Amino acid sequence: KEDFKNLLSNRPWVILFLVGIVSFVMFALQNLSIAYYFKYYIADEEGVQLFNVVGTIALIAVIPFSKFLARKFGKRNVFLASSVLSGLFFILLYLPDKENMWLIYTFNILAKMAYAPAVPLLWTMLGDTADYSEWKHGRRSTGLVFSAASFAQKAGWGIGGALAGWLLALFNFVPNAVQSETAITGIKLMISVVPGILYMSCALFLFFYNIDRQTEIQMQEELEERKA
């Protein structure tokens, strides 16, 4: 009971909890919408596989730079910049027409590259919030910190799936039929503008994340002193 109370008063953790929900709403919405985008807008249902593979390769290629960037600029700042830049590139996916595949691929690759540093940083920063809880309250509840954060991400995935279905209905999507202009516009928004805005909104939460590099050093030094 005390650990749960401490968790809810742990401001950095609460912020990452919200970021986790919003991020996974974005992932679910976009991942579920891309198949519709290729089938009904690009008119190449099989093309979604290559699109996803290329995006994943771009993501994996940049992840190793996360540690270097975090050391140079700070975890919060890198995560914040990642949210803004990748969100912007996702929004730009709305612009190309279906014949301009090279530009569609370019924006997707840039978005995944910009997003990549945040992938390991989220988990590293959650570890920092466990240190923060111990620093503030004298109790360490690492398991609760990570399990509750995992719950937030699963909740976000479920919300994102429900949101995808609701938006398709809103835009008058009809399965296995020629889609109206409204439905096509809606599908384009669902893989670009809507997830882009969602992910950029994470930057707003991160402005209030109060564990910077100096705080990390202070926490580690004081926790080491207590153990000694």
Side-chain angles (χ1 to χ4, degrees), residues 69-172:
L69 292 171
R71 284 180 176 175
K72 187 172 181 62
F73 301 107
K75 297 171 189 173
R76 169 190 171 273
N77 294 335
V78 173
F79 203 133
L80 194 153
S82 174
S83 300
V84 172
L85 288 174
S86 59
L88 177 61
F89 286 127
F90 281 136
I91 289 172
L92 290 175
L93 269 173
Y94 180 81
L95 299 178
D97 58 42
K98 60 185 178 181
E99 284 79 24
N100 203 347
M101 290 302 297
W102 73 269
L103 193 56
I104 292 172
Y105 269 82
T106 297
F107 285 145
N108 183 56
I109 290 169
L110 291 173
K112 295 298 172 59
M113 291 176 69
Y115 163 70
V119 175
L121 281 182
L122 177 60
W123 298 102
T124 304
M125 291 165 72
L126 282 169
D128 292 339
T129 67
D131 292 339
Y132 184 86
S133 180
E134 184 179 7
W135 181 52
K136 285 290 186 180
H137 305 292
R139 291 172 62 89
R140 187 173 186 86
S141 52
T142 305
L144 184 60
V145 164
F146 280 92
S147 61
S150 296
F151 169 78
Q153 293 163 8
K154 291 175 182 177
W157 193 267
I159 293 169
L163 179 62
W166 180 78
L167 287 174
L168 286 171
L170 179 66
F171 292 122
N172 299 319

Side-chain angles (χ1 to χ4, degrees), residues 2-227:
E2 185 177 346
D3 286 340
F4 188 70
K5 180 181 177 181
N6 292 341
L7 187 69
L8 294 180
S9 65
N10 186 332
R11 175 173 154 185
W13 180 86
V14 170
I15 289 169
L16 292 183
F17 180 86
L18 295 173
V19 167
I21 290 177
V22 174
S23 297
F24 276 76
V25 169
M26 182 271 285
F27 299 150
L29 175 63
Q30 190 176 57
N31 287 343
L32 291 170
S33 303
I34 284 195
Y36 295 101
Y37 178 79
F38 270 83
K39 181 175 181 178
Y40 296 106
Y41 178 61
I42 303 298
D44 179 14
E45 190 172 356
E46 301 300 323
V48 67
Q49 298 176 11
L50 179 61
F51 184 79
N52 286 333
V53 168
V54 171
T56 301
I57 291 172
L59 180 76
I60 293 172
V62 178
I63 283 179
F65 295 97
S66 176
K67 189 174 182 179
F68 166 77
L69 292 171
R71 284 180 176 175
K72 187 172 181 62
F73 301 107
K75 297 171 189 173
R76 169 190 171 273
N77 294 335
V78 173
F79 203 133
L80 194 153
S82 174
S83 300
V84 172
L85 288 174
S86 59
L88 177 61
F89 286 127
F90 281 136
I91 289 172
L92 290 175
L93 269 173
Y94 180 81
L95 299 178
D97 58 42
K98 60 185 178 181
E99 284 79 24
N100 203 347
M101 290 302 297
W102 73 269
L103 193 56
I104 292 172
Y105 269 82
T106 297
F107 285 145
N108 183 56
I109 290 169
L110 291 173
K112 295 298 172 59
M113 291 176 69
Y115 163 70
V119 175
L121 281 182
L122 177 60
W123 298 102
T124 304
M125 291 165 72
L126 282 169
D128 292 339
T129 67
D131 292 339
Y132 184 86
S133 180
E134 184 179 7
W135 181 52
K136 285 290 186 180
H137 305 292
R139 291 172 62 89
R140 187 173 186 86
S141 52
T142 305
L144 184 60
V145 164
F146 280 92
S147 61
S150 296
F151 169 78
Q153 293 163 8
K154 291 175 182 177
W157 193 267
I159 293 169
L163 179 62
W166 180 78
L167 287 174
L168 286 171
L170 179 66
F171 292 122
N172 299 319
F173 170 77
V174 179
N176 301 314
V178 176
Q179 302 301 318
S180 65
E181 185 175 344
T182 300
I184 292 297
T185 299
I187 291 170
K188 289 177 63 180
L189 289 171
M190 288 168 63
I191 68 116
S192 58
V193 176
V194 177
I197 290 174
L198 282 171
Y199 201 51
M200 289 180 77
S201 72
C202 291
L204 298 177
F205 294 117
L206 289 166
F207 270 115
F208 301 97
Y209 183 83
N210 56 334
I211 302 179
D212 55 18
R213 182 58 181 161
Q214 184 176 352
T215 305
E216 285 182 49
I217 295 172
Q218 183 181 355
M219 286 193 304
Q220 293 299 327
E221 289 178 349
E222 293 187 13
L223 288 173
E224 287 296 328
E225 288 176 4
R226 293 177 193 176
K227 291 176 182 178

